[in-house]
Amino acid sequence: MSEILWIAYLGLIGAPAIGFLLKGKYKTVVMKIDFLVSVTTWTGLFGYVTSIPIGDALIWKIVFFVGILWDLIFVIFLDHSDEKMEGISETTLKITTVVFSIIILLPLYYGVYRYAFHVM
C-alpha cells in the first residue's frame, strides 16, 4: 500500500513540472535552476521508491543538501510569482507559501534522504 502512495506522490510532484515545461514557463534563470533541482530530486525519490540504484550515494547526499538549500532560498527569498492576490498581505502570502511548500516537499526530502543514506 505504501508503494502505491509513493508512486502517487511521484506523479503529484512530477506532473506540475512537466506541465510548466510544456507551457514554456521556465524562462528565467531562477526557474531553470528550480526545474533542474526538481528533476534531480524527483529522480532520487524515484530511485528510492523503486529501489533502483542510480549513481553513487555521495551524489545523492549532495543532492539532498543542495536541494533543501535551494528550495528554502527559492520559496523564502525569491519572488517568483507573477500574480499578487488581492486582499491578502504579502507577509500572509509568504508564510502560507512557505508552510505549504514544507508540507508538500517533506516526503520528497524524506525519500531522498533515505535513498542517499541507504536507510531502506
Side-chain angles (χ1 to χ4, degrees):
M1 177 67 177
S2 68
E3 189 173 310
I4 293 171
L5 293 174
W6 277 113
I7 292 170
Y9 179 72
L10 278 168
L12 177 74
I13 62 171
I18 293 169
F20 269 51
L21 181 65
L22 294 176
K23 290 182 180 182
K25 301 261 183 170
Y26 295 111
K27 293 181 181 178
T28 66
V29 172
V30 170
M31 291 302 288
K32 289 177 184 177
I33 293 170
D34 187 58
F35 179 71
L36 180 65
V37 170
S38 295
V39 167
T40 307
T41 55
W42 189 92
T43 302
L45 183 62
F46 177 81
Y48 168 69
V49 170
T50 60
S51 298
I52 296 173
I54 304 170
D56 189 48
L58 178 61
I59 293 169
W60 295 111
K61 290 173 183 171
I62 294 168
V63 166
F64 173 74
F65 290 111
V66 169
I68 287 177
L69 181 64
W70 171 256
D71 278 331
L72 287 173
I73 291 169
F74 185 74
V75 170
I76 295 172
F77 298 111
L78 301 177
D79 185 21
H80 47 78
S81 61
D82 295 335
E83 305 171 2
K84 300 294 179 195
M85 299 181 83
E86 290 185 31
I88 299 177
S89 71
E90 273 191 55
T91 305
T92 303
L93 186 60
K94 185 58 80 173
I95 290 170
T96 304
T97 301
V98 168
V99 170
F100 184 72
S101 296
I102 289 170
I103 291 169
I104 292 297
L105 295 175
L106 203 57
L108 170 68
Y109 286 108
Y110 171 78
V112 174
Y113 171 83
R114 290 182 57 95
Y115 190 59
F117 294 94
H118 300 289
V119 187
M120 290 193 213

